[in-house]
């Protein structure tokens, strides 16, 4: 993975997590990640990714852009583990979390990281065995990332 410096310089504020104000899931994301450095957020996420993954679905675009590298690095570094069925589910869920960022009025806020997201899509779809050892499970992961890719292409043509 090539490090890129597309991340804003300052920590996102509460309003960057919850731009509309009072959205419970965005407030939960703020509670879990607000004020954390990228290193601290990454450490926290890796401790319980199954607990924190959906926070990325509900963060506002500014916060998502800032913390995207947390899930980006997690995905690039993940390896299939036959004893951990969570990995297959995580790869599907994280694709859906990212996809939701392209579904609302904040899509323009994540435009700067769109190339990184597309690179990640290409990587996951080309390396399905990295995330699932069972060939029968790989199409489920691929389908989620294909949906994300389609959403990005649609958003690119619309914007």
């Amino acid at each position: 993975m090539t490090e890129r410096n597309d991340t804003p310089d300052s920590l996102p504020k509460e309003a960057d997590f919850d731009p509309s104000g009072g959205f419970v899931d965005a407030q939960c994301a703020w509670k879990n990640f607000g004020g954390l450095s990228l290193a601290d957020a990454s450490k926290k996420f890796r401790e319980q990714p199954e607990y924190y993954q959906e926070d990325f679905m509900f963060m506002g675009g500014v916060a998502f852009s800032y913390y995207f590298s947390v899930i980006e690095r997690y995905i690039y570094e993940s390896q299939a583990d036959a004893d951990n069925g969570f990995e297959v589910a995580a790869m599907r869920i994280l694709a859906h979390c990212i996809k939701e960022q392209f579904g609302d009025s904040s899509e323009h806020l994540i435009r700067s990281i769109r190339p990184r997201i597309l690179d990640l899509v290409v990587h996951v779809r080309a390396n399905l065995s990295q995330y699932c050892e069972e060939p029968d499970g790989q199409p489920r992961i691929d389908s989620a990332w294909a949906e994300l890719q389609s959403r990005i292409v649609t958003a690119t043509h619309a914007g």
Side-chain angles (χ1 to χ4, degrees):
M1 177 179 87
T2 303
E3 287 293 323
R4 299 185 194 174
N5 191 8
D6 297 334
T7 306
D9 293 330
S10 61
L11 287 172
K13 298 170 183 51
E14 184 174 359
D16 297 326
F17 278 82
D18 186 12
S20 58
F23 182 45
V24 173
D25 291 322
Q27 286 294 314
C28 182
W30 165 254
K31 183 181 127 244
N32 290 331
F33 290 100
L36 295 181
S37 68
L38 289 173
D40 289 341
S42 185
K43 182 177 186 277
K44 184 173 189 171
F45 183 79
R46 287 177 179 280
E47 288 171 358
Q48 286 188 289
E50 66 277 10
Y51 181 77
Y52 297 115
Q53 64 193 3
E54 289 184 8
D55 286 335
F56 291 89
M57 183 182 304
F58 301 113
M59 288 178 183
V62 172
F64 180 83
S65 291
Y66 185 86
Y67 288 107
F68 174 70
S69 64
V70 170
I71 57 174
E72 179 183 37
R73 175 168 277 144
Y74 174 80
I75 292 168
Y76 277 118
E77 293 175 358
S78 288
Q79 295 291 322
D81 181 350
D83 296 330
N84 186 357
F86 168 72
E87 284 298 321
V88 174
M91 290 307 128
R92 286 193 340 263
I93 292 167
L94 287 168
H96 291 297
C97 292
I98 298 167
K99 182 178 76 173
E100 287 305 308
Q101 291 292 327
F102 288 90
D104 63 20
S105 60
S106 70
E107 187 274 329
H108 68 283
L109 297 170
I110 64 169
R111 189 169 288 142
S112 68
I113 64 168
R114 189 182 301 167
R116 289 171 51 197
I117 296 170
L118 284 170
D119 288 348
L120 188 60
V121 168
V122 169
H123 173 81
V124 171
R125 296 192 73 199
N127 295 285
L128 293 170
S129 63
Q130 177 180 340
Y131 306 105
C132 180
E133 293 177 334
E134 297 297 322
D136 293 346
Q138 293 174 9
R140 292 180 296 172
I141 295 171
D142 189 48
S143 175
W145 288 86
E147 286 177 30
L148 170 57
Q149 188 171 28
S150 177
R151 175 72 62 89
I152 295 170
V153 169
T154 301
T156 301
H157 292 5

